Amino acid sequence: MLQLKSNKKKRRKGLAAVLLAASIAVQPWIAPVPVHAASAAESPVTMTAQEPLTYGAILKKYEWNFERNKKPVTVKANVVEVDLKNPYVKLDTIAGTGGQYTKKQNVRKMANETGAVAAINGDFFNTQAEGVPMGPQISGGKLLATPPYLVGWYSFALTKENKPVIDMFTFQGKIVAKDGTSYPLGGINKTYYWYENDGIHEEGAHSMIDGLYMYTNTWGQVNRSNDGVTVPTEILVKNGIVQQILRPGVLEMVAPADGYILRASGKADEFVAQHLKVGDKITADYKVSAQNPAMQYDTANFKTMIGGHTILVDEGQPAAFSHEVNGVSGYSPVARSAIGFSKDEQYAYLITVDSGMTLAELQQFMLKAGVWKGINLDGGGSTQMATRPLGEFQTALVSADIGYERPVVNGVGVYSLSPKGQVRDIQIQGATALFVGQKATYSLKAYDDYFNPVAADQIPASWSTTQPLGSFAGNTFTASAPGKTQLTVVSDKATKSIDVEVIGGKDVASLKLNASSTSLLANSVYTLTANVTSKSGAKGTIPAEAMQFEFIGFKGRMEGSRLTIDSIDKDATEGRIIARYDGFSTMVTLPVVDSRIVEAFETLMQPTFTSTPGVTGNVYKVSGVEGLAAGSKALGLQYDFSQGTGTTAAYASFSDGLKIDGQPESFSVKVKGDNSRNWVRAEIKDSAGKVQLISLTELTNWSDWKTLSADLKKYNFAYPITLTRLYVANPENGHDERELKGQIMFDDIAFQYKKSTSQTKNAVKLTIDQKSLTVNGKPLVLDQAPVIYNGNTLVPVRFVVEAMGGQLTWVDGERKVIIMKDNHLLELWLDKTELIADGEAITAEVPPLLMTERTMVPLRVISENMGWKVTWDEKTRSVTLE
């Protein structure tokens, strides 16, 4: 970045006195350093990729390997090639934000705001001033800024015939008063600078001294180049009539669309005092022309123009620099931007080099890329190129190496003028691994004959599948059977396929069901996730709609992945949630716990409202709320995220915190939702000072009262703990998908503790080949004795399981045995060695067998997976289970 000179003598170096946006360190003026350009000139560039952006514009990516100072270097460059003779593409300039200067914006946002398919940064600008280009700018045929009176500064333009022009331009203008007198107009929408030796102005003079300047509504702020050097008088003109004269002073307004504001100082102010008054009709007479009078351009009809810096290439040769280049680190390898055109004037080239080149190297690259005439644009940290990938509606940075996208004052954009065409190519995005019963919606991205994106709702789509593993409804495929298939979509001229595997129960190696809390509470809301690992090693999550659920010990209902506990069975000490997927089962057991309410908001305790920056709201006590008992109170939290940025949050903060006794296993709070889809969270601090954020829900999509809960065991707290805050959050990702204003209510903050239960442990003793057994020493008679089969002990499963306090279910249609005890679930099939134990697919040495109408199962399998201790007595050939 060029540094502002501090003494007057150095300030008279002209533009070098201005802090430009090149993000390049200034160097003292030295003789040009010889560059090892011979090897660069001799080394070819390699095009590594190219992609059409729209009809008539192509992005080309290059890599260039050469020697710099006898050391090998590799640089990468990007070129947008625009066919100026193609009627379906347009090149034009962009200004700031909303088409206004003084409101800088990075190139990608400029492109997206204006609908460009590609854009690069444009002119240099004074970073200490308001943020306007040093050079001229024409956008859409409208003159936005005039050229400065600086030596050797070139500009790029397009004539009304769309022919490219690179030349040095100047400006002549005047304001003519009602009495016929006139005063020179210094420029339009210009900031201050220091004149160079142009043969007209005194070298080193401040541009605003004795100056008269015009500012249109393109200048988007009230401050019009007031740097303290001159005292302004401002004149408001609408439709050619003087409306207001403020002497001295600044009009607190942006110029109107049907007028302009004049800024006068010194002699210009004297002219205003003597010749202008409110109500006078005045005339603004000005034009842009070439500095060389021999070059006659119809500049009034130029389509576009962008200011630049030194010329780099002229008539297919490296050009002598038209302005000193130390101020832009011309002899150092830094990021660069440039613009030029081909010899036949058919192609314009927008060029960025992110990895760094000297200006001499950039000259060589431009020649190799086809540039016949070209100029330097702003560079360094301002260097940016954004292009629109095929099928996308927004642009993205071409170089992923740019960490910070600097806001700049203007840019050059490429725009599509083509009509709508048929779909040329299409892309499918969606799941490639599905589960039986799962619905998967596939999104489509397409572009037409002119390489422009097609809106998703306007893409004609006809779907088919190679195997009958499911069916389509629009773009949504519902899997109905396991296997592999190929989904194909046809849209106009385009056909695309995607390989999809529907994973069946037989393909599952492990299925684990997780609940958001480890305790069971009535009227609570839980989130259930089912993590699966296939036998091939693939991992994922089975959606709730692809599974069947069974609840034991309580009544509940599933809504997507959300489980609501309606009631708990009388005398139940635990609840079981069984999830089955295509014959594969898993279970999670939740104990019924002691729940202790620590705050019901019935007392005078009042939390305070705090928030992230920009968020407003309030915390208050409320009564008479539907769903609460008469006279009961709750805590309300009202929030407004509309003025916040990033992740926003509104907190109900407990000044001293709520001190929690003991070691609770879970935490719950009743929440009256607001359908905002925002997150609800809590903050807990432990005795070691560690703060944990506890997620209660990431989707508040209800408006009645729900009890939200969270498992505390996984946080490894140092007890005792303190609840410090309850809050609502709207994460930055997906911020606009949630409501920015709302209010929720809290009641009955509670913590849950594990119940102390006494369990009787049974001891079962069996003897091989004998029909007798003992349970806790009490003898019983079997109708089928345990046996040794292929080296494995088989036992009558029902007798053993029930004797050990478990439950057994026989499923006749599947010839399956289901065993449940505590938190264990086993499923075995007659004559099959494959079985499922606690959500894991395992294989036994021998299968369950039917003997004398009794199901015999391998003892090792059930004992190991039920957690039973097995003792073998060789002398008596007896087995004891505990």
Side-chain angles (χ1 to χ4, degrees):
M1 183 179 291
L2 293 179
Q3 300 299 319
L4 185 66
K5 304 299 189 293
S6 59
N7 62 67
K8 185 175 181 181
K9 182 177 180 181
K10 290 186 178 180
R11 288 176 69 184
R12 291 185 178 182
K13 289 293 184 180
L15 187 66
V18 188
L19 185 64
L20 301 182
S23 185
I24 304 168
V26 71
Q27 302 171 356
W29 175 253
I30 56 175
V33 178
V35 178
H36 199 347
S39 58
E42 296 166 358
S43 302
V45 298
T46 301
M47 186 190 302
T48 58
Q50 64 175 333
E51 179 178 275
L53 302 173
T54 188
Y55 199 56
I58 300 174
L59 169 64
K60 297 181 177 180
K61 296 185 177 182
Y62 293 93
E63 186 173 288
W64 191 17
N65 297 289
F66 60 92
E67 284 190 356
R68 177 189 294 141
N69 299 325
K70 298 183 179 181
K71 293 182 179 180
V73 295
T74 298
V75 295
K76 296 181 180 181
N78 309 301
V79 178
V80 174
E81 180 185 277
V82 182
D83 186 351
L84 298 176
K85 295 183 179 180
N86 189 314
Y88 293 138
V89 67
K90 180 181 76 169
L91 199 63
D92 205 353
T93 56
I94 317 169
T97 302
Q100 288 186 314
Y101 296 138
T102 73
K103 299 179 180 180
K104 295 180 288 186
Q105 188 169 209
N106 67 50
V107 169
R108 179 177 53 85
K109 290 182 178 179
M110 282 188 187
N112 292 336
E113 180 184 287
T114 61
V117 304
I120 64 170
N121 60 288
D123 200 357
F124 289 85
F125 60 98
N126 182 341
T127 58
Q128 288 189 342
E130 301 87 352
V132 297
M134 292 301 303
Q137 183 173 353
I138 295 175
S139 294
K142 179 182 178 181
L143 180 63
L144 302 186
T146 53
Y149 294 104
L150 296 172
V151 178
W153 285 66
Y154 276 77
S155 298
F156 173 93
L158 290 178
T159 69
K160 66 178 180 180
E161 295 82 16
N162 223 41
K163 289 187 176 183
V165 171
I166 287 180
D167 211 333
M168 290 183 291
F169 291 87
T170 187
F171 169 77
Q172 299 86 35
K174 60 184 178 180
I175 294 295
V176 181
K178 181 179 179 181
D179 60 11
T181 59
S182 64
Y183 194 89
L185 191 59
I188 300 174
N189 292 327
K190 304 306 293 182
T191 191
Y192 60 88
Y193 60 98
W194 290 268
Y195 292 119
E196 295 181 342
N197 186 12
D198 60 357
I200 302 174
H201 304 88
E202 179 186 353
E203 182 180 2
H206 192 281
S207 62
M208 292 296 161
I209 295 177
D210 298 329
L212 182 63
Y213 285 82
M214 175 189 292
Y215 297 88
T216 70
N217 65 335
T218 300
W219 186 281
Q221 70 178 33
V222 171
N223 180 21
R224 283 168 280 272
S225 198
N226 295 314
D227 68 336
V229 175
T230 60
V231 177
T233 287
E234 293 198 338
I235 305 96
L236 172 62
V237 181
K238 293 182 66 175
N239 298 314
I241 306 297
V242 177
Q243 305 290 323
Q244 184 180 356
I245 299 175
L246 185 60
R247 177 182 297 107
V250 174
L251 294 170
E252 296 296 325
M253 61 181 294
V254 173
D258 58 352
Y260 53 86
I261 291 174
L262 294 174
R263 182 195 189 278
S265 64
K267 294 178 180 178
D269 183 34
E270 295 176 6
F271 167 78
V272 172
Q274 296 172 12
H275 301 283
L276 301 186
K277 64 178 183 296
V278 173
D280 282 357
K281 182 175 180 60
I282 65 174
T283 303
D285 183 11
Y286 54 84
K287 68 175 181 177
V288 172
S289 59
Q291 289 187 20
N292 182 355
M295 304 301 297
Q296 296 294 316
Y297 300 112
D298 181 14
T299 56
N301 290 308
F302 274 3
K303 290 183 174 181
T304 192
M305 175 181 277
I306 191 77
H309 188 247
T310 179
I311 191 168
L312 294 175
V313 175
D314 195 7
E315 295 188 348
Q317 297 295 324
F321 299 143
S322 56
H323 195 281
E324 66 89 10
V325 297
N326 271 318
V328 293
S329 292
Y331 304 103
S332 299
V334 298
R336 305 280 181 192
S337 301
I339 190 169
F341 59 85
S342 61
K343 182 177 182 179
D344 59 5
E345 299 181 341
Q346 178 168 351
Y347 298 103
Y349 303 99
L350 313 184
I351 302 168
T352 60
V353 181
D354 303 316
S355 50
M357 288 185 191
T358 66
L359 282 181
E361 291 165 355
L362 179 58
Q363 288 174 313
Q364 291 296 326
F365 174 79
M366 292 170 73
L367 294 173
K368 297 173 189 294
V371 175
W372 177 254
K373 193 169 187 177
I375 62 173
N376 184 41
L377 297 176
D378 194 6
S382 295
T383 300
Q384 299 163 58
M385 176 183 284
T387 61
R388 185 185 68 185
L390 286 172
E392 299 286 351
F393 283 86
Q394 299 284 294
T395 63
L397 284 177
V398 173
S399 174
D401 298 333
I402 297 178
Y404 171 64
E405 299 175 67
R406 169 181 287 166
V408 295
V409 299
N410 61 6
V412 182
V414 181
Y415 298 88
S416 175
L417 302 177
S418 64
K420 292 182 179 180
Q422 286 192 316
V423 173
R424 183 188 187 108
D425 198 7
I426 194 168
Q427 298 174 357
I428 305 173
Q429 293 182 327
T432 56
L434 300 176
F435 301 96
V436 176
Q438 182 180 359
K439 295 179 183 291
T441 299
Y442 291 88
S443 61
L444 299 176
K445 293 184 178 180
Y447 58 88
D448 64 14
D449 291 323
Y450 302 98
F451 303 105
N452 291 320
V454 181
D457 59 357
Q458 296 180 16
I459 300 175
S462 175
W463 289 90
S464 62
T465 176
T466 56
Q467 299 295 328
L469 304 182
S471 58
F472 272 101
N475 292 351
T476 300
F477 178 74
T478 302
S480 58
K484 294 182 178 181
T485 187
Q486 191 175 74
L487 308 181
T488 299
V489 63
V490 177
S491 181
D492 290 340
K493 303 174 182 178
T495 300
K496 193 71 70 175
S497 298
I498 184 173
D499 293 324
V500 170
E501 180 180 7
V502 181
I503 299 172
K506 294 181 179 179
D507 304 314
V508 174
S510 170
L511 178 60
K512 299 297 182 182
L513 188 64
N514 299 299
S516 58
S517 178
T518 56
S519 59
L520 197 63
L521 293 170
N523 198 33
S524 296
V525 179
Y526 298 79
T527 299
L528 298 180
T529 55
N531 299 319
V532 64
T533 301
S534 71
K535 291 178 179 177
S536 64
K539 295 184 178 181
T541 301
I542 300 181
E545 64 266 20
M547 296 184 293
Q548 296 78 45
F549 291 90
E550 179 183 355
F551 308 129
I552 300 174
F554 68 95
K555 292 179 176 58
R557 48 197 161 86
M558 293 293 298
E559 298 171 286
S561 61
R562 196 175 74 172
L563 168 64
T564 300
I565 310 296
D566 293 321
S567 62
I568 299 174
D569 296 352
K570 185 179 180 181
D571 300 327
T573 59
E574 61 187 14
R576 292 189 175 107
I577 305 169
I578 301 175
R580 294 187 172 90
Y581 168 68
D582 192 33
F584 199 102
S585 301
T586 190
M587 181 180 74
V588 64
T589 302
L590 303 178
V592 177
V593 296
D594 289 326
S595 185
R596 306 174 193 173
I597 296 177
V598 298
E599 181 57 56
F601 303 107
E602 303 300 328
T603 65
L604 295 177
M605 191 277 295
Q606 175 71 49
T608 58
F609 178 85
T610 57
S611 69
T612 54
V615 175
T616 58
N618 188 28
V619 172
Y620 52 91
K621 292 285 189 67
V622 61
S623 59
V625 178
E626 183 179 358
L628 289 182
S632 295
K633 297 178 182 178
L635 182 71
L637 174 58
Q638 179 267 331
Y639 57 89
D640 183 347
F641 295 148
S642 58
Q643 300 303 312
T645 58
T647 295
T648 51
Y651 304 93
S653 300
F654 302 100
S655 56
D656 297 324
L658 297 179
K659 312 297 183 182
I660 310 303
D661 295 331
Q663 298 185 15
E665 294 196 336
S666 61
F667 156 68
S668 67
V669 59
K670 289 177 63 177
V671 175
K672 190 177 192 305
D674 56 0
N675 278 318
S676 62
R677 304 176 68 86
N678 287 314
W679 291 22
V680 177
R681 310 186 86 182
E683 182 182 275
I684 291 178
K685 183 168 69 173
D686 68 9
S687 60
K690 185 178 181 180
V691 175
Q692 297 278 12
L693 304 182
I694 312 298
S695 178
L696 293 165
T697 182
E698 296 181 3
L699 182 65
T700 307
N701 61 349
W702 68 92
S703 59
D704 54 348
W705 286 97
K706 300 290 183 186
T707 300
L708 306 183
S709 61
D711 178 16
L712 297 182
K713 295 197 302 298
K714 62 183 179 181
Y715 293 98
N716 298 316
F717 285 122
Y719 292 96
I721 59 176
T722 301
L723 176 65
T724 54
R725 299 197 287 194
L726 294 173
Y727 65 100
V728 181
N730 187 340
E732 182 175 11
N733 184 21
H735 196 274
D736 294 337
E737 298 173 5
R738 307 179 187 90
E739 295 297 329
L740 300 181
K741 298 180 181 180
Q743 62 178 357
I744 64 171
M745 297 180 188
F746 298 103
D747 197 16
D748 293 350
I749 300 174
F751 286 81
Q752 291 76 44
Y753 300 79
K754 187 175 181 179
K755 282 185 176 181
S756 57
T757 57
S758 58
Q759 293 184 345
T760 301
K761 292 186 176 181
N762 291 342
V764 177
K765 186 175 182 178
L766 308 96
T767 304
I768 302 300
D769 296 330
Q770 292 187 15
K771 294 184 178 182
S772 62
L773 83 160
T774 62
V775 179
N776 297 329
K778 182 180 179 179
L780 294 173
V781 178
L782 302 171
D783 52 13
Q784 170 60 51
V787 299
I788 302 294
Y789 177 80
N790 286 346
N792 285 264
T793 300
L794 301 186
V795 296
V797 63
R798 181 176 295 277
F799 283 99
V800 171
V801 169
E802 292 180 350
M804 291 296 291
Q807 298 170 287
L808 184 140
T809 303
W810 168 257
V811 183
D812 191 56
E814 299 181 54
R815 304 183 77 213
K816 178 174 71 172
V817 173
I818 302 174
I819 302 172
M820 281 189 293
K821 187 178 188 303
D822 300 329
N823 59 342
H824 297 293
L825 172 67
L826 271 69
E827 296 191 347
L828 311 92
W829 288 261
L830 280 178
D831 303 320
K832 293 183 179 181
T833 55
E834 296 81 12
L835 59 106
I836 302 171
D838 295 334
E840 299 281 346
I842 61 176
T843 302
E845 293 182 11
V846 296
L849 298 173
L850 196 64
M851 296 180 178
T852 61
E853 301 302 318
R854 291 296 178 186
T855 302
M856 305 289 286
V857 298
L859 177 61
R860 176 183 295 177
V861 169
I862 60 172
S863 62
E864 288 179 349
N865 289 285
M866 300 302 288
W868 297 338
K869 179 183 177 181
V870 179
T871 304
W872 168 257
D873 189 331
E874 180 65 32
K875 290 183 180 180
T876 61
R877 300 182 78 221
S878 62
V879 177
T880 302
L881 305 178
E882 295 178 313

